[in-house]
Amino acid sequence: METQDIHSLIKHLEAASSLDAALAAAVHNAVCPIGAGDLTLPADGGLFSTDEVIHLIDEALPEWSIKLTGRASNINGHWVCTLRQSEVRDNDEVIGIGQSAVLAHALLAALLKVIDGRPREV
């Protein structure tokens, strides 16, 4: 997936309050290649439950830290997810930060930002 497409997908995902079939398919297509054949993706629709997304991140980015923050006082909450390779150092090559009113969307956006920031294989 091209960088511009991923940026557009992330922007759409962070703004969405729910996922239609087209957005769900686009996220699924963007996430599939990171497993290089050994990543187990959840059954239809499961990719978008918070538990399944956390499990997906755990499989795709082993040993990475997941930091979630939110404000319950905002309408629908306001979630920020940060994915980092290290909690100790500040020199991570790639950091994924996603924001959304929907927790699963913030997690997925952060994962997509990590995917986009990783060096491409030639």
Side-chain angles (χ1 to χ4, degrees):
M1 184 173 265
E2 295 295 320
T3 298
Q4 182 179 3
D5 295 337
I6 290 179
H7 290 193
S8 175
L9 177 59
I10 291 167
K11 190 174 177 181
H12 197 115
L13 180 64
E14 288 180 323
S17 59
S18 63
L19 298 180
D20 58 25
L23 182 55
V27 171
H28 188 268
N29 289 337
V31 170
C32 278
I34 64 173
D38 61 353
L39 182 64
T40 305
L41 288 175
D44 291 343
L47 176 61
F48 304 108
S49 78
T50 302
D51 288 344
E52 291 294 339
V53 175
I54 290 174
H55 179 71
L56 175 66
I57 291 169
D58 186 46
E59 284 190 42
L61 305 172
E63 304 300 320
W64 281 53
S65 67
I66 301 171
K67 180 181 177 187
L68 298 172
T69 57
R71 297 222 182 265
S73 61
N74 291 350
I75 296 174
N76 295 327
H78 180 76
W79 297 102
V80 178
C81 172
T82 304
L83 300 177
R84 295 185 58 141
Q85 199 164 10
S86 170
E87 287 181 289
V88 182
R89 300 180 315 241
D90 274 344
N91 62 349
D92 291 338
E93 185 177 342
V94 177
I95 297 174
I97 301 173
Q99 302 178 58
S100 179
V102 179
L103 180 55
H105 296 190
L107 288 158
L108 284 168
L111 178 59
L112 290 172
K113 287 179 181 179
V114 169
I115 293 168
D116 185 47
R118 284 184 162 178
R120 306 272 194 260
E121 292 183 16
V122 179

